[in-house]
Each structure stands twice: as C-alpha cells, then as structure tokens.
Amino acid sequence: MDCNEALYAMALTRISNFNFATALALYRALGSARAIYEHRADIRDAVDDCPPRLAKALAHWDEPLRRAEAEMEFATRHGISVLTPADPRYPQRLTECTDAPIALYYKGAAELNRLRVISVVGTRHATPYGHDLVSRLMAGLKELCPGVLVVSGLAYGIDICAHREALAQGFDTVAVLAHGLDRIYPPAHRDTALGMLRQGGLLTEFMSGTNADKPNFVRRNRIVAGLADATVLVESAAKGGGLITAAIARSYNRDVLAFPGAVGAPYSEGCNRLIRDNGAALITSASDLVDALGWRDEALACRARREGIERQLFPELSADERLVTDLLANTNDLQLNIIAVRTGLPVARLTALLFSLEMKGVVRPLAGGTYHLMS
C-alpha cells in the first residue's frame, strides 16, 4: 500500500464532501490524489472543468490530512487495508463506475477481484419464501460455480440470509457497510460479521466514527452493485433499497436478475414489476443464473471434475496439449500470443489445441484472448 497516496485519497474524499463523481473525475484527470494535492493552488489550470466550489475547497488540506493520518493509524492497528484505485487489490469492477470511491477500507481474507461475483439483495422483511430462495440459490451455486464471491449489505432480511447461507455453503462473502469499521450494525449480526473476516470480509468507504445514518445506506448501495457482475433481487416490496441497488446496477450496465413471487404478495411486488418492465431477467434457480450470465461452460467443467473427470485422467491428451497445460499450471491466465511464444507452437495449431482443451473442460477462455487452466 502506498501510504502517502492513500492519505491524499482519504483527505480528498473529505474535501469533496462525498461528491463521488466529481472527485473521481478529478482523480482520473490527474492520475492520483497526490497529484491533485500538488496542483491544489492551480487546479483549474490543470483541470479546467473543476467546479469552482471544489477548487476553493482544495486550497485547504490541513484538517483533512490530519484526519486521514489518524484514520491510517486506526487502520494499521486493526489490520485494515486502505485501498485506492491505484492499488491492485482495489475492486477493478468498481473502477468502471463513474461514482466509485477513491478510498475504501477493507478487512478480510477474500480476493475482491474474484472471477465471478454476484450481489444478493432484497427486503429487510424477508418471508420464509425469500429465505428458501436464498438457501436454494446458494446450494445450487455450490454445485455449479463454487468459486463465486457473494456480496451483500449485512442488513436484516435477505442480506443477512445471503451472507449466512454463503458461509454455510463454503463461499467467501463480503458485506458492504454503511458505517466505519469500528462498529457493526446491526449489532445482532456481529457473530456473522466476525465469521466473514475468516471467510470473506467487511468493506466500507466510511472512516471510523461514522454512524449508520440513513443516507449512508443509499450511498453504499452503489458499491454493492458496482462490485458484482450481476445483482440478484430476491424479495422486494414496491419500494426499497433492493430496487435502488438494482437500478444502480442497470445504470452500470450490469446484469440484474430477480426471483418472481405470487401475484399480490407484498414482498414480491417489486420483483414482479421489475421483471414485467424488463428491468430484470426472471430466474427461478442457480441454473437459470449461470445460464443468464453465460457461466454454463464453467458449471459443466466443475460438474465434470466432481464426477472424477480430472485433467490427469484424459488419456487423449496429446504431447502438445500437455505442453500447454503444463505452462498454464505454472503461470495461469495467459494470452494466446504469450502461450504461442513460450510453447513454440504455431498460432493456428495452438488455436485448435486450445479449442480441444476447452471442449474437454481443461481450459476456459477469458476476456481479451486469455486462457485459464481449470483447477
């Protein structure tokens, strides 16, 4: 962690008064929070569209930096990581969002840049039907995509059910909090939160001492949506935080999926309307989810491995195929051209080999022409 950059990012968040989009635009224009500090006296020369109010506020860093230094001491004492967009541990999906925070506080063991991430949200007044949906979703995902990271907000209802069911099925699960990491809200969920530190984590954009005030829950919803490939709405009344998170996810061009409920059921009304208005894809199971997100190939490969079809047992693996798998076993997730150089295989031959390995469930193509060896 670059402590100086983190300090300036923390201070900038306070100076901008949580005007996320403006602060992030400034950050992107100059490349770092430290650069913004260095141009504090001539910021409008460096970034001509910097709002006058923010330009004036940027002249005063003393108090925000003192507060940032105190927070850094708190973070160090309590094993909390301060993440900025320059840190490779920062959630890369969030960097695609125009209002992403430029400082995050994280405590936990889970990798935030997992290959597959879903957010599961819904009403705080979950019914037995909602609890059952979450339970069956997690059990199904364990069979189909066991490496998924599950994100929610630690609130009553669907949130805490998602976290607990994820833990029970062996998933890492991360809670996005609406307050600082010096407290847990609601207190009734402390034991679950502590379990998540070993099998997931706790994430927030708020410094210690920040209360769980109502506006903070709306703010944190954008992080819940931005962390994930897709947001799953389980139960929702006609209005609620789950619908807000779903709307934010759509604004980020992320997938939104929803479970339907009985006509007239008060805590299915929001889901049913969202599906009716084409704001969410209808799902009824984990299988529907992996189909909707295009994760079926991974699911089939996982099932094949569980049935005992391991890579080592493919008798038809040729010498050239073994050359490719040995390379990926040593350094996974390589692009086609890099594999070609390191194996000495012609690209045309390599393309055919990789397709064959994909059909056998041994490798999986990723974005950007990268190939991943299935474990």
Side-chain angles (χ1 to χ4, degrees), residues 142-201:
K142 183 179 182 179
E143 292 295 311
L144 296 171
C145 292
V148 171
L149 175 66
V150 178
V151 175
S152 197
L154 203 70
Y156 288 108
I158 295 300
D159 284 20
I160 194 61
C161 182
H163 291 307
R164 288 171 176 165
E165 290 295 333
L167 291 172
Q169 295 293 344
F171 291 111
D172 283 348
T173 180
V174 170
V176 183
L177 307 179
H179 49 78
L181 286 174
D182 57 331
R183 64 199 67 195
I184 294 296
Y185 180 85
H189 297 166
R190 170 173 286 277
D191 287 347
T192 301
L194 292 176
M196 292 167 65
L197 294 178
R198 299 183 295 272
Q199 191 180 319

Side-chain angles (χ1 to χ4, degrees), residues 19 27 32 87 120 138 187 211 220 229 283 305 313 350:
N19 189 332
Y27 181 94
S32 70
D87 192 318
V120 179
M138 295 301 164
N211 294 322
R220 71 92 187 270
D229 301 303
I283 61 170
R305 291 198 302 278
L313 299 182
L350 181 59

